[in-house]
Amino acid sequence: MPMAKPSFFRSELPPIAPDLSSERLRGVGFSSPSRQRNLVFVVNPRGANGRTGREWKQILPYLQSRFAKECNICESLTSGPCHAIDITREAIREGADAVIAVGGDGTLHEVVNGFFWAGKPVTSNVKEPSHSTALGLIPLGTGSDFARTFGWKNDTYEAIERISKGVRSKIDIGVITGETGEEHYFINVADIHLSAKAGFYASRYKKFGKLCYVIGALQAFMGHHNQDLRIKVNDGDWEKCPKVTALCVGNAKYFGGGMKITPNADPHSGNFEAVILQNFKWYDFILKLHKLYNGTHLSVKNVSSRRVHSIEVEDLSGKGGIYIQSDGEHLGFLPRKIRVLPAVIEMIC
C-alpha cells in the first residue's frame, strides 16, 4: 500500500538534486499528533550494483511492521549525486528524529554532509532548540568501512534492531577546507596521494564489487611517484615530510574495503589518528598488505602515526595534482586543512 508523500521533500539544490517530490519518494508526513519517532530512511537504490535497492525492497515490509506502533516511517530513494545531502537537510529542518543512511560509505558520506549548512549544523525549524536529529546506518554497500569500526556487519535485521532501541552516542566529524574556504565533511577516513588516487580510479569499477579496490590500486601505481609534502599539525610549525606515499587521517579505523589503516582511531575521542607512509615501493604493498589489513603496519619501517585535532597538508613540488579524498569520495587536490569537530552528531549505536 503506497504511503503519502512527506511534506519536507523540497529541492534545495535544483542544479544538483532532481525534484524531490517525484513518485519514487514515498513516506508518511510528520504531522502525526502522537509521540511516535519520525524516521527518514535515505536509500541509494543503485548502490552495490543495484543490490542495495533489491535488498531494501525485501526488508521494507518487515521494517514497516516492526515499527508500525512506535515510528512514522519515511522512505526516500536518491536519484543521483548529492541528492541525499538535500534530503537530509530538509528532514532535519522538518524535525525528523533520525535520518538513516541505507547503503554504503558513499550514501553515509552524503547524509553526514546534509547535517551541515554554511559551516554550521542544520537545526529544526519546527521543534524546540534542544531537539536533535540522530544519524543512523543500515550498511548495505560495497565497502561499508565505517560500520567495521563499530563491529557492525551488513546485517539488515541487526541494524533494524539497533535503530529500534534508539541508543544515541555523540561522535566526532571531520571537516576539510581548501583555498576557497568551502567546507566538506567526512565521518570515516580522509586520505592523500596514492590511496586517494586509487580510490578515484576504484570508483570507476564499482560494478566489479570489492575487486574495484584492487583494480584502482593497480591503476594508481602506474606512473606513481612519492612526493615531498609539508604538514602543519595542530596549528603548530610547518614540517617537511619527504617521499610521502600516502597520508591518511582517520576518524574511524577502516578504508578501501576493510584495510585497517588508522587502527587507533576512535570517533568518540575528539582527535584523529594521522598515519603517514613514506618511500613505499610497489613491492612493499605486496609484502606488507596483510599488515595493512590487520592494522599491525604501525611497526613497519617508514610508517608513522600521531594523534591530531587538525592537520594542514601542502605539496612542496608546486606542480599540483596530489589527490585527496574522504570516505572514498574524490575531493580534488592539495592544499587542504583537515580538522575535527568533536561530538557534533548523535549517532544511533
Side-chain angles (χ1 to χ4, degrees):
M1 180 178 182
M3 296 176 283
K5 296 174 186 174
S7 62
F8 68 83
F9 285 137
R10 300 188 299 273
S11 180
E12 186 173 30
L13 304 172
I16 299 175
D19 182 6
L20 301 185
S21 63
S22 71
E23 285 302 319
R24 288 186 295 173
L25 303 177
R26 304 188 304 275
V28 293
F30 293 168
S31 59
S32 171
S34 71
R35 299 299 296 172
Q36 291 181 313
R37 288 187 295 159
N38 298 310
L39 306 182
V40 179
F41 291 82
V42 182
V43 186
N44 175 14
R46 292 161 304 285
N49 297 319
R51 179 172 58 84
T52 298
R54 293 190 297 271
E55 291 192 16
W56 173 250
K57 288 181 181 179
Q58 294 174 359
I59 67 173
L60 181 57
Y62 172 78
L63 186 72
Q64 291 169 326
S65 63
R66 177 68 180 79
F67 290 131
K69 295 181 180 180
E70 58 188 273
C71 300
N72 294 319
I73 302 298
C74 176
E75 172 200 28
S76 177
L77 307 183
T78 63
S79 58
C82 301
H83 196 176
I85 298 175
D86 199 24
I87 293 169
T88 301
R89 286 180 181 148
E90 288 302 303
I92 295 171
R93 288 168 179 158
E94 292 292 333
D97 290 283
V99 178
I100 294 101
V102 181
D105 294 310
T107 302
L108 177 62
H109 177 79
E110 287 198 7
V111 168
V112 166
N113 274 270
F115 272 75
F116 301 90
W117 174 255
K120 297 180 180 179
V122 178
T123 57
S124 171
N125 294 333
V126 298
K127 292 195 175 183
E128 60 276 5
S130 61
H131 172 82
S132 70
T133 300
L135 170 66
L137 174 63
I138 297 181
L140 288 179
T142 302
S144 295
D145 280 311
F146 179 75
R148 298 174 196 268
T149 292
F150 290 89
W152 299 340
K153 301 176 182 178
N154 278 17
D155 185 325
T156 54
Y157 298 99
E158 178 183 286
I160 289 170
E161 289 308 306
R162 186 165 59 244
I163 293 164
S164 176
K165 292 176 183 176
V167 177
R168 297 184 177 200
S169 176
K170 289 188 176 182
I171 63 167
D172 308 330
I173 296 294
V175 58
I176 302 172
T177 53
E179 292 178 297
T180 64
E182 183 180 0
E183 296 185 329
H184 196 93
Y185 302 88
F186 70 97
I187 192 171
N188 193 41
V189 176
D191 53 300
I192 293 165
H193 202 22
L194 179 63
S195 56
K197 186 189 292 188
F200 174 76
Y201 289 127
S203 65
R204 301 178 178 182
Y205 303 103
K206 287 293 182 72
K207 64 182 179 180
F208 295 109
K210 291 186 177 181
L211 188 60
C212 71
Y213 300 111
V214 177
I215 300 172
L218 291 173
Q219 194 167 353
F221 267 119
M222 297 179 185
H224 169 76
H225 299 284
N226 297 322
Q227 294 287 345
D228 294 344
L229 304 179
R230 70 170 188 165
I231 64 172
K232 181 190 287 187
V233 173
N234 300 338
D235 296 318
D237 296 327
W238 285 102
E239 308 171 28
K240 181 179 178 180
C241 289
K243 298 182 179 179
V244 173
T245 307
L247 190 159
C248 303
V249 181
N251 187 48
K253 300 179 188 296
Y254 297 87
F255 82 155
M259 191 177 294
K260 199 173 184 180
I261 190 66
T262 46
N264 298 313
D266 178 0
H268 302 99
S269 68
N271 289 285
F272 298 129
E273 180 178 27
V275 171
I276 304 176
L277 280 62
Q278 294 173 269
N279 201 27
F280 266 50
K281 308 296 191 297
W282 65 268
Y283 52 81
D284 287 314
F285 282 95
I286 295 175
L287 295 174
K288 299 162 186 175
L289 189 62
H290 66 289
K291 289 183 176 290
L292 291 167
Y293 270 94
N294 63 28
T296 59
H297 56 287
L298 299 186
S299 61
V300 170
K301 182 182 178 181
N302 294 336
V303 177
S304 60
S305 170
R306 64 174 85 181
R307 306 295 298 181
V308 306
H309 58 74
S310 73
I311 182 169
E312 293 181 60
V313 188
E314 294 184 353
D315 174 17
L316 279 177
S317 72
K319 297 178 181 179
I322 304 297
Y323 286 69
I324 180 171
Q325 69 172 2
S326 65
D327 299 344
E329 302 297 315
H330 176 65
L331 297 185
F333 307 95
L334 295 182
R336 288 292 194 276
K337 181 175 183 178
I338 306 170
R339 57 190 174 87
V340 69
L341 301 177
V344 71
I345 285 181
E346 288 188 323
M347 185 158 197
I348 299 174
C349 296

